[in-house]
Amino acid sequence: RNNHRVLVFDSIPRSNAEAPSIVIGQANFTAGSAGVTQQNFDQPVSAAVCADGRLFISARSNHRVAAFNRIPQASGAAMDFVLGQAGFTANTLAAASASTFNLPYGVSCISNRLYVSDRGNNRVVVYNSVPSANVAASFAIGQPNLTSSTPGSDYTAVSNYLNNPAQVMYSGSQFFVADIGNNRVLVYSSLPSAALASPALVL
């Protein structure tokens, strides 16, 4: 995260200090500066590869998710498109919408959908199909619409609002959201398909 890069290993490391194959976000292995370009990140925190081969990396402090149509094969590769910003050199913090993020964190590809934990907007943004360009999100978990960012709290009856969600996971039957601002994990009995889906239980 603080080297503003993602390291790629061609195989799972099996011993200490194995060297990565390439670096994404920097031109080489000794660079570590933040940037807002078609090649650079500012605090990347999560990465996901979808079934179609696309790679998504959340760049937290750039308020965007970088997208690569395939996993890069050389260091310093350029992004193919971004989500959350109008272009490669923008990192504007804007109001919640279907096309903006505020400190995006976890990214996950589940059942041909892309999920982005949009921490600063207290929601998980869902794209009903894996994006192939800079498109608007379909709906948000944890908010009634794509322009709301109201934080929920664990001492209210509004259990389907989120507060700084960090990660999501799907087991094949249950969907989990780490709702860190409320010190809990929400468990849904199936993949949510609309805004303000209600969890089945809380951990």
Side-chain angles (χ1 to χ4, degrees):
R1 171 175 167 174
N2 288 328
N3 279 329
H4 312 290
R5 65 185 188 175
V6 171
L7 299 176
V8 181
F9 297 80
D10 283 342
S11 60
I12 296 174
R14 300 189 181 279
S15 62
N16 294 334
E18 285 199 29
S21 305
I22 67 166
V23 59
I24 306 172
Q26 302 292 339
N28 54 58
F29 292 109
T30 58
S33 299
V36 54
T37 71
Q38 195 172 352
Q39 291 83 27
N40 296 114
F41 301 128
D42 192 341
Q43 296 199 355
V45 288
S46 185
V49 178
C50 297
D52 65 1
R54 287 193 176 92
L55 168 66
F56 294 90
I57 299 171
S58 58
R60 176 185 179 274
S61 296
N62 279 336
H63 309 292
R64 69 184 188 182
V65 172
F68 299 82
N69 287 333
R70 66 187 188 104
I71 297 172
Q73 301 298 302
S75 295
M79 307 162 195
D80 291 294
F81 61 96
V82 296
L83 302 171
Q85 298 291 336
F88 296 113
T89 58
N91 61 355
T92 304
L93 177 55
S97 75
S99 302
T100 59
F101 296 126
N102 181 347
L103 303 174
Y105 211 82
V107 289
S108 292
C109 297
I110 302 170
S111 297
N112 200 37
R113 289 177 175 173
L114 178 68
Y115 294 77
V116 180
S117 297
D118 189 16
R119 285 186 61 175
N121 284 324
N122 305 298
R123 65 187 185 174
V124 175
V125 171
V126 183
Y127 297 82
N128 278 338
S129 59
V130 174
S132 58
N134 188 356
V135 296
S138 304
F139 67 95
I141 302 167
Q143 296 295 329
N145 54 58
L146 285 162
T147 57
S148 173
S149 60
T150 304
S153 59
D154 57 355
Y155 53 81
T156 71
V158 189
S159 61
N160 45 7
Y161 277 72
L162 298 174
N163 188 338
N164 271 271
Q167 297 285 352
V168 303
M169 190 194 80
Y170 185 54
S171 69
S173 59
Q174 293 176 305
F175 180 72
F176 301 82
V177 178
D179 188 24
I180 66 171
N182 285 323
N183 304 298
R184 64 185 184 178
V185 173
L186 297 178
V187 184
Y188 300 77
S189 57
S190 61
L191 280 173
S193 59
L196 280 186
S198 295
L201 59 101
V202 60
L203 307 175

